[in-house]
Amino acid sequence: MPDFKRKSPEEILESIHALYNGRLKIIIGAVSGSGKTYHMLRDGQTLKSQGIDVALCAVSTMRRPETIEQLEGLERIPSIHWTTQDGTERKDLDLDAILKRNPEVLLTDGLAHRNRPGAPNSSRLDDIRFLLTQGISVIATVNVYELQGVTEMARRLIGIDVKETVPSDTLELADEVRLIDVTPEALLARIEDGLLTNMPDKTRLSRGNIGVLRELTLRLVAEGVNGSLLKYRDEQGYTGASGTSEHILVSAQYHWNGSIHIRRGQQIAQRLGGELSVVTFVNAGDRLGPEREEFRRSIRKLCEKIGAALHEIKIGSRREIPPTLVRLALEQNVSRIVIGHSNQTRAQEFWKGSIVAEMVKRMCNADVFVVADRTAGGGERILPTKRKEPLGDPAGPYRRLSEEQAGRRIEELKRGRFKVYIGAAPGVGKTYTMLREGNILRKKNIDVVVGLLETHGRRETQAQVGELEQVPRFVFSYKGAQLEEMDADAIIARNPEVVLVDELAHTNVPGSLNKKRYEDVIRLLNAGISVISTMNVQHLESLNDNVEQLTGVRVRETVPDSLLHLADEVELIDVTPKALQERMREGRIYAREKVDQALGNFFKTGNLIALRELALREIADDVDERLESWERSTSLRGPWRREEVIFVAITLSDNAERLIRRGFRIAYRLKASWHVCYIPDGVCPEAREKERIEQLQRLTRRLGGQFDLGQRVPARRLHEELLMRADARRCTQLIVGQTRRPAAYRLLFGSLTRRLLRTARHMDLLVVARFDHAAQVKREE
């Protein structure tokens, strides 16, 4: 909704001052050699082609051929050279020369650089601040470990010692922050090829260390994007969880189990990479006794220790707690409320009401996580972060492999390597980068072909094809039309070392050997051909509901998450929403006649910010999974002690897919096995029921779960049947959907959720709230 409030004189002056300031763009990477300077120079070339005056100063190419190529045609302003006491040559910005030349945009490396003694400013960052006030825009580069907030963590995790740093809030000064992602495999290959001979931190660059720094970078940029998204949603009047990140709110009492619930909330927040808040309720006018006062002190101390915001709210009666929690969830963009099981009897719940049951009934767009009763569950559990199976056999190489194990190893050895470039939206540059890598491999005398390419008429992308051989497509006749698809048979017959395949989620023409293009890719990999491919984050099956929540668009073409896990490398192509929209307006993504429609729909600012954050967090989680598989001793997402088993109870409603996807995502993060269970209820016609069950079975298998089809039981015994099956599988977390049954049905047959709340106190219970898009928007009375 437009803001009609009049600006203050100070706000007007600040806006006028900003008109004359230059813009700052920071390009951040995990380590030296990730490609920051190359992309900075490419940005300079793009700006120059648009008629913008660009110059560079104190840029270090490290004699890397690709980077040197990007210097062509860009004017260099001489820097001030000086030598440190240990003989190291340094380059400072020559501010006088830059002001005299007065370019519109200056490109410079080394944001954390320290200037020579006696220089006008002590650091390059201060030089840049000065240039911005003179109306000169700056594009600069920085490594993540040069940010003071990350320096200590990097030293602790991987032992890297950083001498030159910038303040931790430096990224907040920038008008635009772009991440240059690179996989450890790609960076180590560059070192092996002799392209990164002058790296100052090369001695620390093991695969695991690069992975740690990469994950830190992804999560740091994701946090910044989340701040932008929250600001945008606030300006647009949206409330509630955004769907991109987790915010856990723990409702705790000043009681012996309060700290247990907070610890469980902390574990969930760590594992899901989310924010944590705690709320407690006290009766207005009541004085706490000595015991509760001691619990209050311990909970405050615990919240301070783990960095959780603590809210103490005074209430008149316990019936105020559910509506207050609902309000807090909306105001704080909470995605999950953590609360303890009720210890009341059925009679007490009838007379006094149940806070948990009332929460489950009222909550919208935020899930309710009910923590297992410690006394019933045999002790506190810690959410795991590693797989059930050990990463290494204690007997090591001396253990003889079975025929089955040997067969699997041989198949893995024969399979080609698989790399995926992933982006937040069309047009970020995935195909361009894939073709660029293909040409680099070709120069190394590796046999590379293009199996399927979709340039969408983009000139820059088409120019990257160069001399790459393209395998002709197979032509289908379908309903009187001639349609083309990738010819997997022809590629296998050609037998290249590497094939480039665009748009992994594409659905093939009916009549093709495989329904989906990713199935063709798996066939190529099994034939020993390596594949480099592209996809967007919204095509991941488990994110389908999140993407619809964020954009209002249901993505129909998806790939199973297991395909991403199959990849040897997954690399993010990051572009800011503003830059992407600018590309759109210039006609570099879609034809000009489609631009206005795209900008008003999928390419709206809010959608692009949210999808970018989703992509950053998804790849950060993927990096963390890979680090764990490399037997890293530390985890950014917390410890593990005991195996979890997830049990998802579904009906045949439209919400079933959402529950299955939620079950998968939780199980994947907890390294847990998971089961989906359907108990027939007789509501659905028999023919439709069979078809629907088959759909849900396919989705469960596609995501790697086990589907359990039970026998029909009376509605009042449904909770007993579910618990019997869950207990038989030693399940620790039961997932159900918020009921959509009408009040008359609940009055006649009772509520399944309420029965589970009374009888399933020995396990965690997650009630997935129904999503209401309209509820996210504030209504003006």
Side-chain angles (χ1 to χ4, degrees), residues 387-683:
R387 299 186 186 279
K388 174 185 175 183
E389 59 271 20
L391 294 173
D393 191 323
Y398 298 100
R399 176 79 67 185
R400 180 182 291 132
L401 297 177
S402 68
E403 287 296 325
E404 183 182 351
Q405 289 172 325
R408 282 202 304 266
R409 294 277 183 91
I410 291 169
E411 289 302 314
E412 289 171 3
L413 290 171
K414 289 180 178 178
R415 184 183 297 146
R417 284 188 61 82
F418 186 28
K419 181 171 184 175
V420 178
Y421 285 108
I422 193 167
V428 297
K430 303 179 300 297
T431 305
Y432 178 98
T433 309
M434 177 184 72
L435 290 168
R436 177 174 158 242
E437 180 167 3
N439 277 296
I440 292 171
L441 293 173
R442 185 176 177 274
K443 290 177 181 178
K444 297 179 181 178
N445 295 319
I446 294 173
D447 184 16
V448 184
V449 300
V450 176
L452 195 289
L453 177 64
E454 298 287 358
T455 65
H456 299 286
R458 298 165 192 164
R459 293 190 301 274
E460 285 184 335
T461 304
Q462 185 61 50
Q464 276 297 307
V465 176
E467 298 180 9
L468 290 172
E469 176 189 343
Q470 298 192 54
V471 177
R473 303 187 189 191
F474 188 86
V475 180
F476 283 85
S477 293
Y478 181 71
K479 293 185 177 181
Q482 298 294 104
L483 302 176
E484 297 180 343
E485 290 290 359
M486 181 175 76
D487 194 336
D489 288 333
I491 294 170
I492 291 172
R494 168 64 176 74
N495 195 29
E497 290 178 271
V498 181
V499 61
L500 312 181
V501 180
D502 225 350
E503 298 186 0
L504 202 54
H506 171 80
T507 301
N508 291 333
V509 174
S512 302
L513 177 64
N514 291 312
K515 184 178 178 181
K516 303 287 290 187
R517 184 168 291 160
Y518 72 78
E519 293 173 320
D520 292 330
V521 164
I522 291 174
R523 186 179 168 211
L524 297 175
L525 291 169
N526 289 337
I529 300 171
S530 294
V531 179
I532 303 175
S533 192
T534 66
M535 65 174 287
N536 290 320
V537 71
Q538 64 264 28
H539 293 296
L540 276 177
E541 176 67 58
S542 71
L543 292 177
N544 200 260
D545 304 300
N546 300 65
V547 172
E548 184 181 24
Q549 178 179 339
L550 293 168
T551 66
V553 176
R554 172 66 74 176
V555 176
R556 299 299 174 189
E557 293 189 319
T558 61
V559 300
D561 293 56
S562 58
L563 193 72
L564 212 59
H565 309 154
L566 176 68
D568 299 282
E569 295 180 66
V570 179
E571 191 165 302
L572 176 68
I573 306 300
D574 181 46
V575 172
T576 63
K578 186 170 182 178
L580 195 58
Q581 288 174 328
E582 191 60 36
R583 290 183 189 180
M584 176 69 75
R585 293 187 186 96
E586 293 169 359
R588 295 164 59 194
I589 299 177
Y590 294 146
R592 292 192 181 276
E593 60 269 18
K594 296 181 180 179
V595 168
D596 290 339
Q597 180 184 359
L599 289 172
N601 291 286
F602 195 78
F603 278 75
K604 288 190 293 190
T605 300
N607 288 355
L608 294 180
I609 297 173
L611 288 170
R612 185 187 182 203
E613 182 183 350
L614 202 64
L616 286 160
R617 292 189 184 280
E618 194 65 24
I619 302 305
D621 285 347
D622 181 77
V623 173
D624 200 272
E625 303 295 338
R626 292 172 192 274
L627 285 168
E628 286 173 355
S629 73
W630 299 339
E631 301 188 53
R632 181 184 58 176
S633 59
T634 58
S635 171
L636 298 183
R637 296 190 290 168
W640 75 290
R641 291 184 191 170
R642 176 176 161 178
E643 178 192 359
E644 294 271 335
V645 181
I646 310 301
F647 192 85
V648 186
I650 62 169
T651 65
L652 300 185
S653 71
D654 293 339
N655 198 42
E657 285 90 349
R658 184 163 177 256
L659 286 175
I660 291 171
R661 294 187 189 104
R662 183 65 60 87
F664 161 75
R665 289 191 68 78
I666 291 171
Y668 178 65
R669 279 165 171 72
L670 302 185
K671 300 295 178 296
S673 59
W674 63 291
H675 308 263
V676 175
C677 181
Y678 168 62
I679 308 295
D681 55 13
V683 174

Side-chain angles (χ1 to χ4, degrees), residues 1 231-238 777:
M1 182 172 291
K231 181 180 178 182
Y232 174 85
R233 285 170 59 83
D234 185 57
E235 290 170 351
Q236 299 298 312
Y238 287 98
V777 186

